[in-house]
Amino acid sequence: MTAANDQAMTHEEIGDWWSNSLTRIAPGEIELRGYPVQDVIGRYGFIQVVWLMLRGELPEPAQARMLESAMVAGVDHGPQAPSIAAARMAATCGLGLNNAVATGVNLLGDVHGGAGQQCVALLNRMAESRSGGTDVDEVAEAIVAEYREKGAYVPGFGHRFHPRDPRRDPLLAMVERAVEDGTVDAGPLESALALERALEQRGGRPVPMNIDGATATVYASLGFDAELARGLFVLSRSVGILAHAWEESNSGARIKGPLPRSVLAGYTGPETRIPGERGDD
């Protein structure tokens, strides 16, 4: 084997280090999942390309509409949302727009931003339990009892601010139409509605789905993995984070903290002490 062949093999090995099935790049060429980018631009929308990159093929029109609706629903929830507030505070500290957006996105974890993933996982778990023929209401009642025993909230249900999340109904109506049209399986929707019934029966009052439960029903119906539900929410909420960070960066305010300057944070520590008063010098 010649030195040239050794060198060529080394180049192949290096190329294989970051081999992928998503994007092919060559001088003057860019392909996304096999589609030349110049043929994609202006032909397919952003949501279609999101689906293509995550799933490998282009979505059917009904699938694209469902995904887009779910992502539009999660775009923003006002400046009191921790991720938005953090981005706005970062902007007033003089950080660049990319840093302010990253600050907000980094707050999207298990508690703030993770319930959609958790709810998809729960719906998938219910699907496994139902595969043996167990009634959906029976499965839902057992799950609600399990969460109540642990003193935990069922992810995707109830809202600290909205008695009934205004984003629930249009999303579920879209899933219902997709079930009727045969676009998606009825299982995730049936399971989500059964959880609502079980929560109401156990608590004696309605506990409707929030944005996380409604979008989880959409994502589970479309076959997205649970972890991708969080990723899609991050992608969606990044729009609101970007808009808020941009607005705040143009406000002229500096170092804007979580409280107005006229409001001081409460203090629960010891009263004012004098050094040496207790002989501790």
Side-chain angles (χ1 to χ4, degrees):
M1 184 176 292
T2 66
N5 287 335
D6 287 341
Q7 184 66 24
M9 183 178 293
T10 301
H11 286 170
E12 288 178 11
E13 291 173 349
I14 294 172
D16 288 342
W17 183 255
W18 285 117
S19 62
N20 72 104
S21 62
L22 300 169
T23 314
R24 187 185 71 81
I25 301 293
E29 300 178 21
I30 305 172
E31 289 187 358
L32 307 176
R33 295 282 198 177
Y35 289 95
V37 72
Q38 63 269 24
D39 296 337
V40 172
I41 297 170
R43 186 184 190 92
Y44 301 118
F46 182 68
I47 294 298
Q48 291 171 297
V49 175
V50 169
W51 184 292
L52 172 66
M53 295 300 286
L54 293 177
R55 304 285 288 269
E57 299 294 340
L58 288 162
E60 296 296 325
Q63 294 172 322
R65 284 193 298 272
M66 290 177 68
L67 177 58
E68 183 170 39
S69 297
M71 294 186 69
V72 166
V75 158
D76 194 10
H77 195 241
Q80 76 287 341
S83 54
I84 301 291
R88 296 192 76 120
M89 282 192 284
T92 69
C93 292
L95 297 183
L97 195 59
N98 61 314
N99 301 105
V101 171
T103 298
V105 167
N106 280 335
L107 264 68
L108 298 174
D110 288 341
V111 175
H112 173 47
Q117 174 181 344
Q118 296 155 15
C119 190
V120 171
L122 186 56
L123 295 176
N124 291 342
R125 176 185 162 193
M126 291 180 71
E128 292 179 7
S129 298
R130 295 178 60 193
S131 64
T134 307
D135 178 73
V136 64
D137 286 307
E138 183 179 336
V139 173
E141 289 165 8
I143 285 176
V144 169
E146 173 191 319
Y147 273 83
R148 287 292 184 262
E149 185 177 346
K150 294 187 297 186
Y153 293 105
V154 178
F157 294 83
H159 200 287
R160 61 185 175 82
F161 187 78
H162 303 293
R164 187 178 183 87
D165 195 317
R167 299 163 289 189
R168 173 202 180 278
D169 292 350
L171 289 177
L172 293 194
M174 177 168 281
V175 178
E176 287 173 0
R177 289 193 296 270
V179 169
E180 292 171 0
D181 295 342
T183 301
V184 300
D185 181 74
L189 178 62
E190 292 173 348
S191 293
L193 293 175
L195 284 171
E196 276 192 335
R197 290 192 296 271
L199 284 164
E200 181 173 2
Q201 290 169 4
R202 177 168 283 265
R205 62 180 181 83
V207 186
M209 271 176 262
N210 55 36
I211 179 62
D212 299 304
T215 54
T217 304
V218 174
Y219 296 144
S221 298
L222 292 173
F224 282 99
D225 290 342
E227 193 167 0
L228 275 179
R230 185 184 306 203
L232 290 167
F233 177 74
V234 170
L235 185 59
S236 167
R237 183 53 61 87
S238 293
V239 177
I241 292 173
L242 172 63
H244 279 273
W246 176 243
E247 180 183 69
E248 196 64 66
S249 69
N250 287 285
S251 70
R254 285 174 55 83
I255 313 179
K256 197 171 179 179
L259 297 174
R261 291 183 177 87
S262 60
V263 179
L264 297 177
Y267 174 70
T268 60
E271 295 182 4
T272 303
R273 296 188 273 188
I274 300 173
E277 187 178 53
R278 298 177 56 187
D280 51 2
D281 277 355

